[in-house]
Amino acid sequence: YLIRKRNKWLKSAARVVTVSPWHKQQLEPTLGAERTLCLYNGFDSALFIPKPIATEQFHIVYTGRIMSLGMRDPSLLFEALSAPELQEPVKNGQVVDWYTDEHSKALLATMLRNYPERVRNAQKMHQTVPFRQVPEILNRASVILLLGNKEQPQGPHGIVSTKLFEALAMEKPILYVRSDEAVAASLLQRAGTGLAAVNSAEVIHFLRTKFACWQKNSYNCTAKAKETFVRSFRRDAVAEQYRLLLEGVMEQKDTKQRNG
């Protein structure tokens, strides 16, 4: 019943806006390409401002919840941290900072039982923080960690977390594990500022490189994204696209009324 009602209203809409190109592709055969638009959630440029901050330790930082390991799977990170190639950053103390809720911490604790003690000791759990404090935490990160998983034929598709755009805004190396091998990975690749990993060997190489960068510069490692591409995800830029969309719809409506 709900799907029928939804389809009825979709067909009568002047325009339909999605937040993922996958959903746009699903709607186009029915609605037409000219009536469907993809406008990403983007990031608040007044909050997410990159500021280089010196840190005494190499930090991989995650902010957010883990609803299920099927959707967000950090196992490639734990496998990489278990490898001999990453003994140096791991032996220096707590490397991964988790700003997350109690449910997520319980999932992580269960997973970490399967990894060496040095990997368990490299994790530091924090309380979740108010949204406005997230930029400050990300500014102190050497690597921003994003979690995902490979899209499956019968699973969800087209998921693009707002956290991806917020991470892009901070001009930091981004480690996305495991890659969805879809929309999010494509956006990260186009930005040129991170890795959407499909195996632990990629994670090992990426983290070794970023750790060496941090050691050389004595402050958190930075990564310059493709500025024009990232700027298009600013909320004010997205709002401008909405303005143009609404003006176009109203103009089209006025034209139809005049032509009677």
Side-chain angles (χ1 to χ4, degrees):
Y1 170 79
L2 291 174
I3 290 174
R4 286 198 303 271
K5 296 290 285 184
R6 179 202 66 187
N7 290 344
K8 175 185 175 181
W9 286 109
L10 282 176
K11 290 177 182 178
S12 66
R15 299 287 189 279
V16 175
V17 179
T18 79
V19 294
S20 167
W22 184 87
H23 295 96
K24 174 176 165 56
Q25 292 169 6
Q26 302 306 303
L27 293 167
E28 281 182 353
T30 302
L31 303 176
E34 72 283 353
R35 289 174 59 202
T36 57
L37 296 92
C38 174
L39 298 179
Y40 293 106
N41 286 327
F43 65 92
D44 186 342
S45 57
L47 276 179
F48 290 86
I49 303 170
K51 299 175 182 177
I53 297 175
T55 58
E56 296 180 356
Q57 190 174 344
F58 182 77
H59 289 282
I60 303 169
V61 175
Y62 178 82
T63 61
R65 303 171 66 189
I66 305 174
M67 300 302 294
S68 74
L69 298 176
M71 294 289 291
R72 294 183 170 93
D73 183 5
S75 58
L76 288 184
L77 171 65
F78 297 151
E79 290 172 17
L81 293 176
S82 303
E85 295 92 331
L86 291 180
Q87 279 190 359
E88 187 174 4
V90 171
K91 76 179 181 182
N92 287 340
Q94 293 167 322
V95 175
V96 190
D97 290 291
W98 300 90
Y99 292 84
T100 189
D101 63 0
E102 297 305 316
H103 170 74
S104 306
K105 291 173 185 174
L107 289 177
L108 291 168
T110 301
M111 284 192 71
L112 285 164
R113 292 173 189 162
N114 300 316
Y115 295 93
E117 183 179 4
R118 69 176 186 277
V119 174
R120 296 196 298 272
N121 292 338
Q123 319 299 315
K124 186 173 184 180
M125 302 297 168
H126 305 266
Q127 297 299 317
T128 54
V129 296
F131 176 71
R132 298 187 71 86
Q133 292 181 20
V134 171
E136 179 182 354
I137 290 171
L138 295 184
N139 266 319
R140 295 182 179 279
S142 307
V143 171
I144 297 176
L145 175 65
L146 300 177
L147 298 181
N149 211 343
K150 182 180 179 180
E151 283 193 0
Q152 300 296 330
Q154 303 304 319
H157 291 75
I159 295 177
V160 188
S161 172
T162 304
K163 291 190 177 298
L164 172 60
F165 304 113
E166 294 169 353
L168 289 175
M170 303 310 290
E171 298 182 0
K172 294 294 183 69
I174 299 169
L175 175 61
Y176 176 41
V177 295
R178 183 189 187 279
S179 172
D180 64 347
E181 300 185 36
V183 178
S186 175
L187 289 170
L188 188 57
Q189 182 180 34
R190 291 177 64 189
T193 184
L195 168 69
V198 298
N199 57 58
S200 59
E202 289 183 332
V203 179
I204 292 168
H205 176 74
F206 180 82
L207 291 180
R208 286 188 69 186
T209 302
K210 302 312 170 188
F211 183 69
C213 170
W214 173 80
Q215 285 183 309
K216 178 181 179 181
N217 295 304
S218 300
Y219 57 82
N220 56 336
C221 196
T222 58
K224 192 68 173 178
K226 294 179 181 176
E227 189 173 350
T228 302
F229 180 68
V230 174
R231 194 187 302 124
S232 68
F233 302 124
R234 291 167 49 130
R235 292 265 170 85
D236 52 356
V238 177
E240 174 66 10
Q241 293 180 70
Y242 270 107
R243 182 186 70 81
L244 295 173
L245 164 65
L246 293 172
E247 287 181 352
V249 170
M250 295 304 297
E251 183 179 344
Q252 186 179 51
K253 181 180 178 181
D254 291 342
T255 302
K256 286 183 178 179
Q257 289 177 341
R258 286 196 299 268
N259 295 337

